[in-house]
Amino acid sequence: MTRAEAADLPDDGARKTPDRLRRQASRLLSQLTARSDRLINEGLAQVDARKWHYAVLASLQEYGPGSQAELSRRTGIYRSDMVGVLNELAERDLVERVPDPDDRRRNIITISARGRRRLPRLDKALDDLHDELLAPLSPAERDQLVQLLTRLLDHHTRTS
């Protein structure tokens, strides 16, 4: 646990974090991100998966086959990390790699039949984890939160 996380824990029932810090959206997003990552990473580990496995399988299912560079752009996984993710998925027979007929230096990645069967189970695991993460919010509030976060991310993605 980081010092910042520990600072938010009540020790005697009284909140220790100053209100001016609790009003900083960047701080709240940062702390929630840390907790969300921990929850998702630990939850997916229980079903023998990682969040990057899910991102690649979901991308391949939705957009079809692609090169490693395309998958990196689609998922936000650094190119240098993509090879390791694809190696893990290939070892589990969740993806298939074949040389690109137009450029033998690169591979085309495709989701395998086993990967297509695995994806709905990962969807279910993530749905359950998101229910836990967003437990205090109503369904309408959850939808609104996702819309607001998407709007923020889209704005900052376009401007950077």
Side-chain angles (χ1 to χ4, degrees), residues 32-97:
L32 187 58
T33 296
R35 287 169 171 77
S36 173
D37 281 349
R38 188 178 323 111
L39 175 72
I40 298 301
N41 289 334
E42 289 173 2
L44 285 176
Q46 290 181 5
V47 294
D48 194 30
R50 296 186 328 144
K51 64 183 175 182
W52 297 129
H53 295 166
Y54 179 80
V56 169
L57 293 175
S59 174
L60 290 170
Q61 180 68 29
E62 187 166 334
Y63 295 112
S67 68
Q68 290 176 191
E70 287 173 302
L71 286 171
S72 178
R73 284 188 297 275
R74 290 181 196 170
T75 61
I77 300 171
Y78 292 115
R79 283 183 176 194
S80 58
D81 296 331
M82 182 59 75
V83 173
V85 172
L86 292 175
N87 286 343
E88 291 172 3
L89 291 169
E91 287 169 8
R92 298 168 185 212
D93 297 320
L94 299 174
V95 300
E96 298 167 353
R97 286 189 265 206

Side-chain angles (χ1 to χ4, degrees), residues 90-113:
E91 287 169 8
R92 298 168 185 212
D93 297 320
L94 299 174
V95 300
E96 298 167 353
R97 286 189 265 206
V98 296
D100 184 338
D102 298 326
D103 184 351
R104 294 264 177 207
R105 293 171 296 171
R106 73 178 187 174
N107 289 315
I108 298 297
I109 316 305
T110 306
I111 190 170
S112 69

